Amino acid sequence: QVDLVESGGGLVQTGGSLRLSCAVSGGTVRTYAMAWFRRHPGKEREFVADIIRFSPFTNVADSVKGRFTISRDNAKNTLYLQMNSLKPEDTAVYYCAASPNPARYGLETDYPYWGQGTQVTVSS
């Protein structure tokens, strides 16, 4: 059983930065397809970014491209999401997800393991 625990959310002003962390236990972050999703109030969960297992290759949603960066630290067994130039529309609950198998782009049903989420609020 893989456990994912997100942290780093909070309240930030427009243009600010936050770094989200996802601590992984019960598995090795390098061997899992890892991703960040988010859910805006009253909306469906949407894909933010992913990182391919066993490789450094990443994908980022168009809505955050150039502002958000996904990465992992194999030594710390942790996934990160660096968020810069934050906008009010980035306000959401952010979720970390993991899959032991290759995951298709943006498809949340490919990820069997999820964290509890961390709230990010961007004030205007």
Side-chain angles (χ1 to χ4, degrees):
Q1 177 68 28
V2 173
D3 288 326
L4 307 174
V5 179
E6 302 99 334
S7 61
L11 174 64
V12 64
Q13 292 186 331
T14 296
S17 298
L18 282 174
R19 188 177 77 159
L20 305 183
S21 300
C22 173
V24 180
S25 60
T28 304
V29 67
R30 184 180 66 89
T31 69
Y32 281 73
M34 303 292 299
W36 289 97
F37 289 77
R38 67 185 182 185
R39 189 195 303 273
H40 294 101
K43 295 189 177 181
E44 298 290 318
R45 194 155 50 188
E46 68 176 24
F47 170 78
V48 176
D50 68 15
I51 186 165
I52 309 303
R53 62 184 195 145
F54 299 113
S55 89
F57 295 112
T58 65
N59 296 293
V60 181
D62 288 344
S63 58
V64 303
K65 195 166 291 183
R67 301 188 297 122
F68 290 12
T69 303
I70 186 172
S71 64
R72 63 171 177 249
D73 185 324
N74 295 333
K76 295 183 178 180
N77 217 33
T78 300
L79 178 75
Y80 299 103
L81 184 69
Q82 178 66 44
M83 305 186 296
N84 299 328
S85 302
L86 282 161
K87 305 175 181 180
E89 51 263 44
D90 295 318
T91 294
V93 178
Y94 284 72
Y95 298 89
C96 170
S99 172
N101 301 308
R104 288 165 286 183
Y105 176 86
L107 197 61
E108 64 176 279
T109 54
D110 278 1
Y111 294 90
Y113 304 111
W114 291 83
Q116 81 288 350
T118 185
Q119 176 71 48
V120 171
T121 303
V122 185
S123 64
S124 56

